[in-house]
């Protein structure tokens, strides 16, 4: 990782934006760029925390989805819908979890065309241990506290609802 810059590059981009494009979209550009950079930072922190279990954050999310499901198993298509990712991404994630012995593929007992991903006992153990580690690390969101994290959630909820993530 390179050393910290002596200035905020997003703030500087905002100054440049104002100069070259006018201030109408500067706030939006800075907000989006900040969110994208925060995403990179958080994903790096979370992946670092999950590395001891051979997980990435997408694999962790899939594992937890199965861990919390009623029967510990879900069709891959339903997983994609709930994780809000393309089916091909779910297939890739499940492939890795299967290779690591955390999930197994099973035929659906009522629909021969459907394959279920089912969490294994090892998968449950890893789900609990990795979640304990993420909880202890505050999900990498420091220096934000609970009140600020709740505010970030609240602020972004409307954008997510408007994009069709869920019915508000």
């Amino acid at each position: 990782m390179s050393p910290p810059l002596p200035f905020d590059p997003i703030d500087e981009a905002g100054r440049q934006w104002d100069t070259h494009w006018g201030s109408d979209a500067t706030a939006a550009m800075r907000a989006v760029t900040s969110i994208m950079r925060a995403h990179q930072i958080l994903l790096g922190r979370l992946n670092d925390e999950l590395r001891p279990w051979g997980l990435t954050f997408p694999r962790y999310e899939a594992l937890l989805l199965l861990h919390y499901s009623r029967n510990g198993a879900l069709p891959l298509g339903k997983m994609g819908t709930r994780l809000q990712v393309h089916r091909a991404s779910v297939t890739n994630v499940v492939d890795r979890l299967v290779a690591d012995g955390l999930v197994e593929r099973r035929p659906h007992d009522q629909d021969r065309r459907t394959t279920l991903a089912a969490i294994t006992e090892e998968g449950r153990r890893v789900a609990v241990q990795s979640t304990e580690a993420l909880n202890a690390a505050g999900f990498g969101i420091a220096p934000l506290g609970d009140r600020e994290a709740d505010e970030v959630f609240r602020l972004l909820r409307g954008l997510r609802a408007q994009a069709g993530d869920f019915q508000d």
Side-chain angles (χ1 to χ4, degrees), residues 70-110:
R70 187 176 311 124
N71 298 316
L74 289 169
L76 271 59
K78 187 174 278 191
M79 289 180 69
T81 300
R82 292 194 181 162
L83 294 170
Q84 299 174 312
V85 298
H86 190 272
R87 183 177 171 90
S89 296
V90 171
T91 299
N92 184 32
V93 164
V94 170
D95 285 348
R96 293 296 308 265
L97 292 171
V98 168
D100 292 341
L102 305 178
V103 168
E104 61 187 19
R105 281 192 165 81
R106 292 185 190 157
H108 194 287
D109 59 351
Q110 297 169 349

Side-chain angles (χ1 to χ4, degrees), residues 16-152:
Q16 294 291 339
W17 206 267
D18 259 351
T19 300
H20 297 283
W21 298 100
S23 62
D24 289 349
T26 301
M29 182 279 299
R30 289 187 334 174
V32 167
T33 306
S34 293
I35 291 167
M36 299 303 285
R37 179 61 185 136
H39 174 263
Q40 292 170 336
I41 292 166
L42 291 172
L43 197 54
R45 288 177 180 178
L46 295 170
N47 287 340
D48 286 348
E49 289 292 330
L50 293 167
R51 190 168 288 115
W53 294 275
L55 295 175
T56 61
F57 194 68
R59 284 185 227 143
Y60 169 80
E61 286 182 302
L63 192 62
L64 262 285
L65 178 63
L66 294 172
H67 180 71
Y68 290 132
S69 69
R70 187 176 311 124
N71 298 316
L74 289 169
L76 271 59
K78 187 174 278 191
M79 289 180 69
T81 300
R82 292 194 181 162
L83 294 170
Q84 299 174 312
V85 298
H86 190 272
R87 183 177 171 90
S89 296
V90 171
T91 299
N92 184 32
V93 164
V94 170
D95 285 348
R96 293 296 308 265
L97 292 171
V98 168
D100 292 341
L102 305 178
V103 168
E104 61 187 19
R105 281 192 165 81
R106 292 185 190 157
H108 194 287
D109 59 351
Q110 297 169 349
D111 183 353
R112 292 184 317 182
R113 298 168 298 161
T114 301
T115 299
L116 300 175
I119 193 167
T120 63
E121 284 306 311
E122 177 67 5
R124 289 196 184 278
R125 185 188 68 74
V126 167
V128 168
Q129 288 180 352
S130 59
T131 300
E132 288 171 349
L134 288 180
N135 283 334
F139 271 78
I141 199 140
L144 302 183
D146 287 348
R147 188 173 294 155
E148 293 163 312
D150 283 341
E151 184 68 6
V152 168

